[in-house]
Amino acid sequence: MARLDVTETFHSIMFPGHMHTKDSLNYATNFEFQDTDTVIVTYPKSGTTWMQEIITLVLSKGDPTIAQTQPNWARAPWLEQYYCDDVLKASNGPRVITTHLPYHLLAPALQNSKAKVIYVARNLKDVSVSYYHFHKMANFLPNPGTFSNFLNHFLKGAVHYGSWFDHVKGWTSHAKDIQNFLYIEYEEMCQDLQGSVQKVSGFLQCPLTEDELNLAQKHCSFNSMKENAMVNYTLIPQEIIDHSKGKFMRKGKVGDWRNTFTEEQSGLVDDVYSSQMTDSSLLFKWECLEKTVRPLMSFNTSESHTPRTVLA
Ligand code: PPS
């Protein structure tokens, strides 16, 4: 499947035609989830591949064999991509499925499902920089032009997979409607990888011994994954991902946006963030670290698996 220049528009959201077709997107929205499924949900560049690796290692009790011999898309295929059905049919054992779809497109399929949903969110400034660099190397995404040009499109949601704001708000505001939901932030994974792996193992009810946990943590570190051809996308031919233009495992840092953003761009994002998130009670940990946008009055700590909320 080439279609490198094709954009597939589905429910007003653009998707790269290289991996998506109308049929594959319809397949995703009508998917029959099983209660034993684990579903990784992310906006692009938010820690998708990392969570795929963590889950693989949790399920294999820290044994890296599968992580080092099977590409991530074969272990945790993207639901909306054309090959998903074939991969799932060929798999045995509990299914791990990945998706970048917004909540409203998957909500009907997920209704009444007991599938375990893990939502990974990342600071939108770092997401925009990571996404910009990925556009430069991925020949199935449009040429991003300058960062300033890309950022304007990104803030309007006029990029592939749609608006970061709609994605994050859609999924987190419906966390309570999903029976088994774990919310985790990329920043938390960077700050406390062992704790994050433990959180995932607890959520998947797949306890690890201390040795297994240490092994899992070791193999999903940035440095291990950077060298692992099964997750660093070097298996993808040059004409599809141009590896001379960058690396998929690029920096893996929190706050790297500071090396790209001007002060003006940072202010613009803060303003758009404030206006777009007024109807959201979500308080990101990175907000606390960087600047508190709204006063922290009270956390809802009754359910550790759902996003923390602030009563403003
Ligand atoms: S994609 O294309 O949507 O699947 O991309 P995604 O996997 O969501 O995001 C890629 C970014 O995640 C970083 N990454 C990691 N950071 C820290 N530690 C580990 N182990 C790790 N694995 C992936 C990757 O480097 C991309 O971020 P940037 O900022 O570009 O480095």
Side-chain angles (χ1 to χ4, degrees), residues 19-303:
M19 300 303 263
H20 304 80
T21 63
K22 290 252 175 325
D23 283 351
S24 74
L25 289 155
N26 277 318
Y27 165 86
T29 53
N30 292 300
F31 191 70
E32 283 186 28
F33 286 97
Q34 297 172 2
D35 290 350
T36 48
D37 288 341
T38 299
V39 190
I40 302 166
V41 185
T42 56
Y43 186 82
K45 300 295 144 194
S46 301
T48 324
T49 319
W50 199 1
M51 186 51 71
Q52 290 171 328
E53 199 76 335
I54 290 174
I55 291 174
T56 300
L57 289 160
V58 165
L59 296 179
S60 68
K61 305 258 177 195
D63 179 344
T65 310
I66 294 175
Q68 291 173 352
T69 53
Q70 287 182 22
N72 58 329
W73 60 85
R75 308 177 224 144
W78 272 260
L79 185 61
E80 58 273 20
Q81 299 188 352
Y82 75 94
Y83 59 82
C84 184
D85 194 33
D86 289 345
V87 172
L88 294 183
K89 278 186 181 138
S91 78
N92 43 21
R95 308 186 301 186
V96 181
I97 296 163
T98 306
T99 184
H100 287 320
L101 289 180
Y103 176 76
H104 69 278
L105 291 183
L106 265 199
L110 273 174
Q111 210 178 16
N112 301 323
S113 166
K114 291 192 175 73
K116 294 187 171 69
V117 176
I118 302 182
Y119 189 85
V120 188
R122 186 182 187 189
N123 175 343
L124 85 165
K125 290 181 183 174
D126 283 330
V127 168
S128 67
V129 172
S130 180
Y131 209 7
Y132 171 67
H133 285 285
F134 191 56
H135 273 69
K136 292 207 274 187
M137 56 189 294
N139 288 334
F140 51 84
L141 292 172
N143 183 337
T146 62
F147 178 69
S148 171
N149 177 64
F150 177 77
L151 185 63
N152 286 330
H153 280 85
F154 177 82
L155 291 175
K156 286 183 199 139
V159 289
H160 284 66
Y161 303 99
S163 156
W164 179 92
F165 299 102
D166 292 348
H167 202 281
V168 172
K169 284 194 289 184
W171 281 99
T172 56
S173 66
H174 288 280
K176 58 189 176 321
D177 303 325
I178 300 171
Q179 295 195 33
N180 289 308
F181 187 83
L182 174 70
Y183 171 83
I184 191 161
E185 291 171 11
Y186 176 95
E187 291 70 21
E188 177 182 350
M189 289 154 66
C190 281
Q191 198 174 25
D192 179 11
L193 180 53
Q194 184 166 107
S196 302
V197 174
Q198 263 174 323
K199 203 180 240 189
V200 171
S201 92
F203 181 66
L204 298 183
Q205 293 168 314
C206 187
L208 302 179
T209 64
E210 202 179 323
D211 285 351
E212 291 165 348
L213 179 63
N214 288 337
L215 268 178
Q217 184 188 345
K218 174 177 159 203
H219 291 290
C220 66
S221 68
F222 183 81
N223 286 339
S224 292
M225 287 180 61
K226 197 176 164 68
E227 301 305 323
N228 182 358
M230 299 298 135
V231 288
N232 66 15
Y233 284 87
T234 51
L235 293 178
I236 303 290
Q238 190 80 0
E239 62 271 20
I240 298 172
I241 294 187
D242 187 343
H243 302 283
S244 71
K245 294 198 175 137
K247 290 197 170 9
F248 180 86
M249 297 290 300
R250 196 180 59 92
K251 289 196 176 173
K253 292 252 180 315
V254 175
D256 176 56
W257 60 268
R258 288 198 171 79
N259 294 315
T260 301
F261 273 64
T262 63
E263 212 169 296
E264 196 186 353
Q265 286 164 344
S266 179
L268 170 70
V269 173
D270 291 343
D271 290 347
V272 176
Y273 183 90
S274 298
S275 70
Q276 288 272 348
M277 299 300 273
T278 43
D279 55 344
S280 167
S281 56
L282 194 66
L283 183 79
F284 287 107
K285 194 178 287 158
W286 53 265
E287 268 184 75
C288 305
L289 292 175
E290 311 241 345
K291 92 175 188 183
T292 305
V293 173
R294 278 160 290 147
L296 180 63
M297 304 285 287
S298 155
F299 282 128
N300 173 4
T301 50
S302 59
E303 176 50 91

